[in-house]
Amino acid sequence: MLNRYLSAVILSGLITSPALLFAQTPTPSSLDDTLQLNEVVVRGYATNRRLLETPASVGLLTRRDLNQRFGTPTIVPSLNTLPGVRADERSPGSYRLAIRGSAIRSPFGVRNVKTYWNELPLTDAGGNTPLNALDVRALGRIEVIKGPSGSLYGAGTGGTVLFSGLGVPAGKTNIELSALGGSYGLYGNGVAVQTGKNNSAISLSYNHLQSDGYREQSAVVRDNISLIGSFSVSPKRTISVLGLYSDLHYQTPGGLTEAQFRANPRASRPATATLPSSAAQQAGIYQKVGYLGFSHEYRWNDRIQNTTVIYGSTTDFANPFITNYEKRTDQGIGGRTITQIRFPNGPLPTTFTVGAELLRNFTVDRNFGNRGGTPDTIQTDEELTARQSTVFAQAETVLPARFRLTAGLSRNDVRYGFTRFPVRSAGALPATTLTRNFSPVWLPRVALLRTFGNNLSAFASISTGYSAPSSQEVRPSAGGFNTTLDPELGTNYEVGLRGSAFNSRFRFDVTLYQFYLRQTIVRRSNAAGAEFFVNAGRTDQRGLEAQLSYDFISPYKASSFSLLRIWHSMTLTNYRFRDYQQGTTDLSNNRVPGVAPTTLVTGLDAETRLGVYAHVTFQFLDPFPLTDANTVTSDPTRLLQATVGFRRPLGQHWTLDIYASGDNLLNQTYSLGYDLNAVGNRFYNAAPTRNGVGGVRLSVKW
């Protein structure tokens, strides 16, 4: 039997085809992420190959990482254990995700990152992702592809995230009930049902979460429902379905100046001489998201298979802000088809992947005056259409001397249409119609990998990235339609080394990259705090990412511990502006704001055969600039988190899991999510001081 393993930080479950992503094969424990190295398969770039044989920088999170290491049910701390990935929660429910620094253009939300649930696109045609519509308790696995991946996943420079749901036990039914409570009025509950038959697998989950919040005006209430099903209707055909619904309301306390932050970090944004406070205007987000997608996989034979997906989405969005009240409805539709053709027996075994993706969104957006949280007189009435199309092809060839060559190419086309209708106060004016069609671009990617035995591999890749402005950038909250904003375009050079030693108890994954980005998009704010966007010349982005882990216990040796692991992730960056002129000021060679030069995360995972487990995580970020001019810097972040619990079978069918978790155990006053280039120097969004959460999970399987 092979005695090779990958760590919890860099490994995933066994997946052999897109249809099986809905019905994963069971492992000895629902949280067990210790698999044989030859069985650790990643989905990135449609290769379904071992991580060791994947010529790309990939970060993986298993169910242990997502649902056990941290007690609070949020996706943020798990993502922050991956090198090169930074997630913020400026207020509860307000997520921001940066892969290799891509948050420089995201004042809020997730932009410039493509996301998929299996093959179903979650990112809309306007380049926006409702990450806060997902509940981490319904996720079983996340795979993060870092850097440009447009050769297969369409336009973008920030990376790609692939989600999967909870695993379904083969031939069994499992029901899990959960409840939790914690500091600042935190309360949540959930139920998950999975059932697996010979030709079907179904997973249904409901999760509720609410909190009063650490700061004033920072309460949140969220309800999520997800339905995932996979049905083998014939030996060659599999049909799958994904349904998601999220009802989310969270208050937005607003940013504070440094003086306000030091004096009272729990305060919301106060009133000024010209503007009311966040609390007075009942600032917040009301968001309802519905998503329904279908997947059809057909296998002609053992060499040719196709997966085609279609989806529809709807979003009902309202945002009472300090200066206005926005109401927005959005309907999205799209599809993706991907075909793989394998030639395994030729002199150079090759797999061809070809496909296309088409996304379209229609948005109706109206702005009103805000009178204490109630919409007042209409100010603007606008419609926006977005369309994004991608055609792609990829060839993966096994070469002599244990080399593997991957070459891909895609064509990307992004178009916007904008109409502004006159409002009553403006009189009988005609509607204004504008379009912005960006020139289609071709994005190539080439990667070469070589394996050295079964425990070591090295790769090098060159890829191109292209990111058109998102719908929230061509039509920003400052109003109007930006017809001058240009897409980002860049080239990424990357080398990596990954492997294991000492009977696979020591594992490592190291990547070095340099990304040259042109026409970098950055955020600006007007006097009222509404944002708009401009191009900022070039940026040079250099980085080193590393993951290390060591298992003190071999699973094949008798011990009271089933797991005792120490792990470490490190991110070193040097991101600089080039040829960047802001008015009469030359900002060339300044550091790009929002990107820490050094990020270190260290953890200890321990599990005993009696059922006691513990996870300790320490995170450090050194100061980084908060403005393009580099005149203001952040505080260093030192964050200690720990979870202890007891998980034990009760007879043959029941399992009990009780846990307690502490966050910010060093009781630091820090900001989780700075507002970059903030007007009025309101950079700070205070995170909770020392706080805790406790919970219980009870499951039955038959």
Side-chain angles (χ1 to χ4, degrees), residues 535-557:
N535 294 108
R538 296 186 297 120
T539 56
D540 289 349
Q541 304 178 10
R542 300 182 178 94
L544 172 67
E545 300 164 354
Q547 281 179 308
L548 309 171
S549 71
Y550 183 79
D551 282 347
F552 294 95
I553 303 297
S554 169
Y556 293 114
K557 292 183 180 180

Side-chain angles (χ1 to χ4, degrees), residues 187-244:
Y187 169 75
N189 56 51
V191 57
V193 180
Q194 294 99 32
T195 180
K197 305 298 182 182
N198 291 334
N199 59 353
S200 66
I202 300 174
S203 177
L204 174 65
S205 67
Y206 164 77
N207 290 289
H208 170 80
L209 184 71
Q210 66 184 57
S211 172
D212 297 333
Y214 167 71
R215 297 178 62 191
E216 299 170 356
Q217 191 67 19
S218 65
V220 60
V221 179
R222 183 176 63 199
D223 291 279
N224 294 76
I225 300 175
S226 64
L227 171 65
I228 309 170
S230 181
F231 309 91
S232 297
V233 296
S234 74
K236 292 187 176 182
R237 180 179 285 112
T238 302
I239 295 176
S240 304
V241 61
L242 169 65
L244 299 172

Side-chain angles (χ1 to χ4, degrees), residues 356-604:
E357 180 177 304
L358 178 62
L359 312 176
R360 187 183 187 276
N361 275 74
F362 174 71
T363 304
V364 177
D365 200 321
R366 295 185 176 96
N367 272 301
F368 303 82
N370 183 9
R371 182 174 294 180
T374 302
D376 198 359
T377 306
I378 188 170
Q379 298 174 346
T380 61
D381 183 0
E382 300 169 340
E383 293 179 354
L384 183 72
T385 59
R387 196 194 78 173
Q388 187 176 131
S389 63
T390 305
V391 180
F392 54 85
Q394 176 181 276
E396 184 187 37
T397 302
V398 179
L399 302 176
R402 310 190 72 165
F403 282 96
R404 188 183 303 275
L405 176 67
T406 303
L409 181 67
S410 72
R411 181 186 186 272
N412 297 267
D413 189 5
V414 179
R415 302 184 180 191
Y416 288 108
F418 172 81
T419 302
R420 169 170 283 184
F421 298 96
V423 296
R424 182 175 302 176
S425 60
L429 299 176
T432 301
T433 300
L434 300 170
T435 60
R436 187 72 199 276
N437 299 331
F438 301 100
S439 300
V441 295
W442 293 88
L443 301 179
R445 175 180 180 266
V446 178
L448 183 66
L449 177 140
R450 190 184 193 280
T451 57
F452 303 87
N454 292 322
N455 300 303
L456 183 65
S457 68
F459 73 89
S461 70
I462 302 175
S463 59
T464 51
Y466 167 85
S467 180
S470 72
S471 60
Q472 296 296 306
E473 292 163 344
V474 296
R475 192 219 163 272
S477 64
F481 183 70
N482 193 332
T483 60
T484 62
L485 194 61
D486 291 322
E488 296 179 335
L489 184 64
T491 305
N492 186 67
Y493 302 89
E494 191 166 335
V495 293
L497 182 71
R498 62 169 59 100
S500 60
F502 307 117
N503 292 324
S504 289
R505 291 166 66 177
F506 173 69
R507 292 161 297 272
F508 57 91
D509 194 335
V510 182
T511 303
L512 182 68
Y513 67 90
Q514 181 154 350
F515 187 33
Y516 298 101
L517 187 63
R518 303 188 297 276
Q519 297 296 339
T520 305
I521 297 174
V522 297
R523 177 206 185 218
R524 290 283 175 269
S525 298
N526 62 21
E531 80 272 2
F532 61 97
F533 298 86
V534 299
N535 294 108
R538 296 186 297 120
T539 56
D540 289 349
Q541 304 178 10
R542 300 182 178 94
L544 172 67
E545 300 164 354
Q547 281 179 308
L548 309 171
S549 71
Y550 183 79
D551 282 347
F552 294 95
I553 303 297
S554 169
Y556 293 114
K557 292 183 180 180
S559 172
S560 58
F561 285 90
S562 58
L563 173 69
L564 185 58
R565 172 182 299 150
I566 188 171
W567 54 268
H568 180 74
S569 69
M570 177 180 69
T571 306
L572 305 178
T573 64
N574 185 12
Y575 287 15
R576 300 278 182 174
F577 286 117
R578 307 297 184 198
D579 305 326
Y580 182 20
Q581 195 81 15
Q582 190 179 114
T584 59
T585 305
D586 186 2
L587 301 181
S588 300
N589 298 319
N590 281 10
R591 285 190 176 273
V592 174
V595 183
T598 304
T599 302
L600 305 174
V601 186
T602 300
L604 176 67

Side-chain angles (χ1 to χ4, degrees), residues 46 54 95 116 149 160 215 267 272 340 398 429 619 657:
T54 303
Y95 295 155
Y116 296 84
S149 50
T160 302
R215 297 178 62 191
T272 66
Q340 281 199 332
V398 179
L429 299 176
Q619 181 181 159
D657 187 350

Side-chain angles (χ1 to χ4, degrees), residues 75-77 79-80 85-89 96-98 131 672-673:
I75 200 172
V76 170
L79 286 169
N80 285 335
V85 179
R86 181 64 185 170
D88 296 333
E89 195 168 8
R96 186 171 61 188
L97 176 63
L131 188 63
L672 180 56

Side-chain angles (χ1 to χ4, degrees), residues 329-343:
T329 59
D330 183 279
Q331 290 81 42
I333 190 171
R336 177 178 171 91
T337 183
I338 182 169
T339 300
Q340 281 199 332
I341 306 172
R342 291 178 285 273
F343 298 95

